[in-house]
Amino acid sequence: QVQLVESGGGSVQAGGSLRLSCAVSGVAYRPYCTGWFRQAPGKEREAIVDIDRNGITRYADSVKGRFTISRDNAKNTLYLQMNSLKPEDTAMYYCATRLLRYCPPSMDSPSEYQVWGQGTQVTVSS
């Protein structure tokens, strides 16, 4: 059974940075397709980045150039480095894995992911 636990959220001022972590446990980690999603109050869950088995990444336009996804297979951990944060980045952030090596054709397909973490809150003040 695969489990994901996010950490690293918090409150920062606009322009600041945070690094989120997603620790994978329960099984020898395989570089499945894993993604980061976020959901702001009153809004739908939004896909912001994913990474497949080969390390190919895709970013949503809203975070491109500011966020970077990385993976440490030895530590079974996925990271999301978030720079130049904006108030509109305020949301609950989730990591999710698809248990397949390749990511779905459309980034914005939360139903394609079988395992989700509990989320970590990011709040950016102006």
Side-chain angles (χ1 to χ4, degrees):
Q1 182 180 358
V2 178
Q3 293 181 319
L4 306 178
V5 178
E6 302 96 333
S7 61
S11 298
V12 296
Q13 290 191 328
S17 298
L18 284 172
R19 189 177 79 156
L20 306 185
S21 298
C22 174
V24 183
S25 64
V27 67
Y29 182 54
R30 296 174 179 83
Y32 297 123
C33 168
T34 306
W36 284 95
F37 294 76
R38 66 186 181 186
Q39 188 166 20
K43 295 188 177 181
E44 293 187 355
R45 191 165 294 191
E46 172 192 16
I48 55 175
V49 61
D50 62 24
I51 182 169
D52 73 4
R53 173 177 179 172
N54 296 321
I56 295 172
T57 58
R58 297 183 295 184
Y59 292 87
D61 288 342
S62 58
V63 304
K64 198 173 294 182
R66 300 188 298 122
F67 291 12
T68 303
I69 191 172
S70 61
R71 184 172 59 206
D72 186 334
N73 293 342
K75 294 184 178 181
N76 289 359
T77 302
L78 197 76
Y79 302 99
L80 182 66
Q81 178 66 42
M82 306 187 297
N83 299 327
S84 302
L85 283 162
K86 304 175 181 179
E88 51 263 44
D89 294 319
T90 294
M92 185 71 79
Y93 283 69
Y94 301 90
C95 65
T97 189
R98 192 178 182 225
L99 302 180
L100 293 171
R101 64 179 69 181
Y102 296 116
C103 293
S106 171
M107 260 189 70
D108 210 2
S109 304
S111 62
E112 294 282 346
Y113 291 78
Q114 291 81 31
V115 184
W116 291 78
Q118 82 290 348
T120 186
Q121 178 68 37
V122 172
T123 302
V124 184
S125 58
S126 57

